[in-house]
Amino acid sequence: MQHRAFTTRYGGLARVLITKVGVCEPVTPEEAKTREIKLVNYSAIWDTGATHSAITKKVATDLNLKPTGIVEVRYGNGKSTTNTYLVNISLPNGVMVGQVRVTEAQLVPEDNVPEENQPQLLVGMDIIGMGDFAVTNANGRTTLSFHIPSIKEIDFIPGAEDHNIKATGANRHDRRAMKARMRRGR
């Protein structure tokens, strides 16, 4: 599998992580070579709190999707029964995630966003979990970066430890003792 990544930088601190994604009917790579596929681009919210990805009724209608079943979904206000569909989702890095079982959801409209740019898809942990997902907020700007497939663990503890040791001006013996305490969680 090829390694692919994308990075989205926002103008300030983002309260919602949104990118463009493509959605089409569920096709295999072989089918895509032999017939024309209608890939439609939508704004998508990346949500680590969602176990599965979801689409709006608009996406289902635009692509003339047929429900594949009904499932009970749970969310902050309770639970409901909704349609499921199979789709392919094209991520901003060009990776096509095929045969994704999505639920139909009504997404809360974003403030000050025109109707045509409202998010119509929610990318959940079923897709996020296929790769490495990082969100940083350095210098008052949010950056989302995603790499598929997963290649490494990101651990901020060593950098924080080094910073704290340098900031305290501790001598070599004190630094070793502080690192040992931090590793033990004290």
Side-chain angles (χ1 to χ4, degrees):
M1 175 183 216
Q2 266 192 323
H3 289 235
R4 293 281 187 72
F6 74 88
T7 297
T8 300
R9 291 178 177 86
Y10 300 86
L13 294 175
R15 64 180 188 86
V16 181
L17 303 171
I18 298 177
T19 66
K20 290 288 186 186
V21 300
V23 183
C24 68
E25 62 183 304
V27 294
T28 65
E30 294 76 29
E31 289 174 317
K33 292 176 188 173
T34 61
R35 64 184 178 119
E36 188 174 330
I37 305 301
K38 179 183 175 186
L39 185 68
V40 182
N41 291 314
Y42 297 99
S43 292
I45 297 172
W46 290 70
D47 186 353
T48 60
T51 56
H52 291 87
S53 297
I55 61 172
T56 62
K57 182 70 173 170
K58 175 180 177 18
V59 175
T61 301
D62 288 353
L63 296 173
N64 197 28
L65 299 173
K66 304 295 181 236
T68 57
I70 296 176
V71 68
E72 182 178 88
V73 294
R74 296 173 185 270
Y75 46 87
N77 280 349
K79 59 185 176 179
S80 65
T81 303
T82 188
N83 289 326
T84 61
Y85 302 92
L86 281 179
V87 296
N88 285 9
I89 299 174
S90 177
L91 303 180
N93 56 3
V95 169
M96 181 69 75
V97 182
Q99 309 287 319
V100 181
R101 182 175 161 232
V102 295
T103 57
E104 186 178 308
Q106 185 174 352
L107 301 180
V108 177
E110 290 298 311
D111 294 336
N112 304 316
V113 175
E115 179 65 31
E116 64 274 7
N117 293 331
Q118 286 291 333
Q120 300 296 328
L121 191 129
L122 187 136
V123 178
M125 287 303 294
D126 54 337
I127 292 176
I128 295 170
M130 296 174 157
D132 295 326
F133 179 81
V135 178
T136 57
N137 293 291
N139 302 316
R141 286 185 53 200
T142 299
T143 300
L144 175 161
S145 195
F146 183 70
H147 182 275
I148 193 168
S150 179
I151 57 168
K152 69 179 180 178
E153 177 182 278
I154 298 171
D155 183 354
F156 293 114
I157 292 173
E161 290 175 349
D162 287 345
H163 171 81
N164 292 340
I165 289 168
K166 290 174 185 168
T168 63
N171 64 37
R172 197 173 87 197
H173 178 267
D174 291 340
R175 286 193 300 258
R176 277 199 311 255
M178 184 183 290
K179 278 189 171 185
R181 282 194 305 276
M182 288 178 165
R183 280 192 298 272
R184 291 191 303 268
R186 296 184 203 165

